[in-house]
Amino acid sequence: EVQLVESGGGLVQPGRSLKLSCVASGFTFNNYWMTWIRQAPGKGLEWVASITNTGGSTYYPDSVKGRFTISRDNAKSTLYLQMNSLRSEDTATYYCTRVHNSGYYFDYWGQGVMVTVSS
Amino acid sequence: DIVMTQGALPNPVPSGESASITCQSSKSLLYSDGKTYLNWYLQRPGQSPQLLIYWMSTRASGVSDRFSGSGSGTDFTLKISRVEAEDVGVYYCQQFLEFPLTFGSGTKLEIK
């Protein structure tokens, strides 16, 4: 059974940093691209970052580029999201998702982890 | 960036009736490989989103055949036949043609 379990969320002050983790199980992690998607309270879904299966390439929207870094440790089947210079608008539930390896769609989602940026 | 625009539903929808959700993209999502990179997700209340439809019209594993996807390169429809209580939630379309990946704003389905 595929499982994606996020951790590392919490309350953080504006301008500070936070690192999220997502431990994957039930599949061969290093065969799949992975992605972080977030959802602000009461709002829709927003793509945050994607990484190829080897970690060789990463992709970000302008809203987080230069502040967030996606990475992975294939030996530990773990995905990360380093978030720096956090802003109030980064407050959201962050979902770890798997990208189907031949389809370009998000076929599995974690339960999500809440990040609140507030003083 | 590709903008995804979703339509609203005339909520609440009577149980057993059909519901159609529209989604429009600002650029054709038809790729040279013949696939249209438009996906649909359902987020039930209090849950993570789940995949319903990929490549515009292919149902994901385990998804009821009451759900069907159709469309052209820029105009898409998710049809839910014989709506049931478990279909309640917010439906999102999403394009995977190019970065930045983008979602529609969501369409809420309520059942009467």
Side-chain angles (χ1 to χ4, degrees):
Chain A
E1 178 193 6
V2 172
Q3 287 197 333
L4 301 170
V5 181
E6 303 99 333
S7 61
L11 174 63
V12 61
Q13 293 179 328
R16 304 298 291 263
S17 299
L18 201 63
K19 187 172 185 177
L20 305 182
S21 299
C22 169
V23 176
S25 60
F27 64 101
T28 304
F29 185 69
N30 60 14
N31 283 350
Y32 292 83
W33 286 39
M34 299 294 292
T35 292
W36 288 98
I37 292 168
R38 68 184 179 185
Q39 185 172 38
K43 302 296 184 183
L45 301 171
E46 180 187 16
W47 168 68
V48 173
S50 294
I51 188 168
T52 58
N53 59 311
T54 62
S57 293
T58 56
Y59 306 87
Y60 307 92
D62 288 344
S63 58
V64 307
K65 193 176 295 181
R67 299 189 300 122
F68 289 12
T69 301
I70 188 172
S71 62
R72 63 193 296 159
D73 184 336
N74 283 344
K76 295 182 178 180
S77 295
T78 302
L79 178 72
Y80 302 101
L81 184 67
Q82 176 68 48
M83 303 183 292
N84 299 331
S85 303
L86 282 161
R87 307 166 179 168
S88 58
E89 55 264 37
D90 296 318
T91 294
T93 296
Y94 286 73
Y95 295 101
C96 168
T97 70
R98 189 182 84 166
V99 180
H100 189 275
N101 60 1
S102 63
Y104 299 103
Y105 47 87
F106 307 118
D107 59 354
Y108 286 93
W109 298 62
Q111 84 285 354
V113 61
M114 185 67 197
V115 172
T116 302
V117 183
S118 174
S119 54
Chain B
D1 298 3
I2 298 177
V3 177
M4 307 297 292
T5 303
Q6 289 186 232
L9 280 172
N11 284 316
V13 177
S15 181
E17 296 290 303
S18 294
S20 291
I21 300 171
T22 61
C23 173
Q24 189 172 54
S25 58
S26 61
K27 176 180 177 178
S28 175
L29 303 184
L30 175 62
Y31 190 56
S32 55
D33 62 1
K35 295 184 176 73
T36 300
Y37 287 96
L38 184 281
N39 307 316
W40 288 98
Y41 302 88
L42 163 62
Q43 185 173 32
R44 295 188 171 104
Q47 296 186 16
S48 302
Q50 65 177 91
L51 176 69
L52 291 177
I53 301 282
Y54 60 93
W55 300 344
M56 185 177 72
S57 60
T58 303
R59 267 189 307 277
S61 175
V63 173
S64 169
D65 60 5
R66 296 186 299 105
F67 292 89
S68 61
S70 63
S72 63
T74 58
D75 293 274
F76 311 98
T77 301
L78 175 69
K79 182 178 179 181
I80 311 167
S81 301
R82 306 180 304 280
V83 298
E84 301 176 357
E86 67 176 20
D87 302 334
V88 163
V90 180
Y91 292 79
Y92 294 93
C93 59
Q94 177 254 331
Q95 65 83 14
F96 219 128
L97 180 72
E98 63 185 39
F99 291 105
L101 306 181
T102 47
F103 289 86
S105 58
T107 300
K108 190 172 186 178
L109 171 63
E110 299 173 345
I111 307 292
K112 180 164 60 179

